[in-house]
């Protein structure tokens, strides 16, 4: 059972990864300390097929951070889905009696130049499910997870760059699918903070704006949602970053 058999990523590697159309079923395990690679999501599980998890604990897992100052925008992007990244098109994600606790999406990477494109902190502190997934959670606890923070803007002598936005969906982020929650407790989760604006270090140029905080401390969904007998409390949206200093 979950209190007896545990698998750890040792804060170094992701624990499970599947490719489509594989199906993964997990029962009675504790998955802990999983770490996705830089700019990638799913610290415990990255699933490209149907996924079912029952009677289990997933805790202390992280998506990868974006790489600071990398010239490739894709490599600067934060990973999403601190515990689970489910990317199966029209696939199913089913969780029954699962505790997801203290998992975190990645932090956005700082742009190498002022004006370079910025993204946002990673979304879905515990779970990110996209591409028309059908997600069903029953008797689950999702607590103390967080979306990723935005990156601070670059500071230069002549101007400051803008901070990027915080990630959304401190507990769950889902898009264009269906979400059914039954007797779930989603508490104490937080969206990501926006990054601070960069400074004009000689004080003569414009300062950067702070990034907006992420939304949906508990949930961010762009889909049909049904919630039956659930407790959503003590969740928090992200705070916006402060603007930089300059002229």
């Amino acid at each position: 059972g979950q209190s007896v058999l545990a698998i750890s990523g040792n804060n170094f590697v992701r624990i499970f990864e599947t490719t489509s159309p594989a199906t993964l079923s997990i029962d009675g395990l504790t998955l802990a300390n999983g770490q996705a690679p830089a700019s990638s999501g799913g610290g415990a599980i990255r699933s490209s097929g149907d996924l079912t998890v029952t009677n289990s604990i997933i805790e202390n897992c992280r998506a990868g951070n974006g790489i600071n100052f990398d010239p490739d925008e894709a490599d600067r992007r934060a990973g999403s889905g601190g515990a689970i990244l489910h990317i199966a098109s029209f696939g199913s994600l089913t969780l029954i009696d699962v505790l997801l606790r203290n998992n975190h999406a990645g932090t956005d990477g700082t742009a190498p130049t002022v004006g370079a494109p910025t993204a946002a902190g990673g979304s879905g502190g515990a779970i990110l499910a996209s591409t028309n997934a059908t997600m069903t959670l029953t008797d689950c606890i999702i607590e103390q997870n967080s979306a990723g923070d935005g990156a601070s803007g670059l500071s230069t002598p002549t101007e400051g760059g803008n901070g990027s936005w915080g990630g959304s969906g401190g507990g769950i982020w889902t898009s264009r699918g269906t979400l059914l929650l039954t007797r779930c407790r989603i508490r104490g989760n937080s969206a990501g903070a926006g990054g601070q604006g960069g400074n004009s270090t000689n004080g003569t140029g414009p300062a950067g704006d702070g990034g907006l905080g992420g939304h949906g401390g508990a949930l961010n969904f762009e889909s049909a949602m049904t919630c039956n007998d659930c407790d959503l409390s003590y969740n928090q949206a992200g705070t916006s970053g402060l603007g930089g200093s300059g002229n």
Side-chain angles (χ1 to χ4, degrees):
Q2 62 195 43
S3 62
V4 177
L5 183 57
I7 303 175
S8 175
N10 293 318
N11 298 309
F12 185 68
V13 296
R14 179 187 288 130
I15 299 171
F16 289 108
E17 182 169 359
T18 68
T19 57
S20 180
T23 296
L24 176 63
S25 296
I26 295 171
D27 179 64
L29 293 180
T30 292
L31 307 180
N33 304 316
Q35 174 66 61
S39 306
S40 184
I45 304 169
R46 185 180 190 274
S47 172
S48 299
D50 292 341
L51 173 64
T52 301
V53 184
T54 56
N55 188 35
S56 295
I57 297 171
I58 306 176
E59 60 184 356
N60 304 324
C61 295
R62 291 182 176 272
N65 294 332
I67 301 172
N68 289 327
F69 312 118
D70 195 291
D72 188 332
E73 182 184 357
D75 290 336
R76 295 197 304 272
R77 291 176 183 165
S80 293
I84 298 172
L85 176 64
H86 186 258
I87 56 173
S89 182
F90 296 97
S92 66
L93 172 60
T94 303
L95 277 63
I96 302 171
D97 190 20
V98 175
L99 168 62
L100 294 114
R101 176 175 58 201
N102 197 37
N103 303 289
H104 307 283
T107 299
D108 194 26
T110 299
T113 59
V114 173
T118 60
S123 292
I127 302 170
L128 185 138
S130 61
T131 58
N132 300 293
T134 298
M135 184 158 50
T136 304
L137 278 67
T138 305
D139 296 320
C140 293
I141 298 173
I142 300 173
E143 62 182 14
Q144 300 173 7
N145 305 283
S146 62
D149 292 339
S152 295
L154 192 68
S155 294
T156 75
T158 56
E159 62 180 322
N162 295 330
S164 63
W165 290 16
S168 295
I172 298 171
W173 190 100
T174 184
S175 173
R176 302 187 306 277
T178 59
L179 174 61
L180 173 60
L181 304 171
T182 303
R183 296 184 302 277
C184 292
R185 187 172 74 190
I186 304 175
R187 299 178 50 138
N189 304 284
S190 57
Q196 181 172 332
N199 302 322
S200 168
T201 56
N202 66 12
T204 61
D209 295 329
L212 296 179
H215 44 272
L219 306 166
N220 185 83
F221 58 96
E222 301 170 9
S223 57
M225 187 185 84
T226 302
C227 188
N228 298 315
D229 193 22
C230 294
D231 174 10
L232 283 75
S233 56
Y234 303 105
N235 301 288
Q236 183 174 330
T239 57
S240 293
L242 298 174
S245 61
N247 186 16

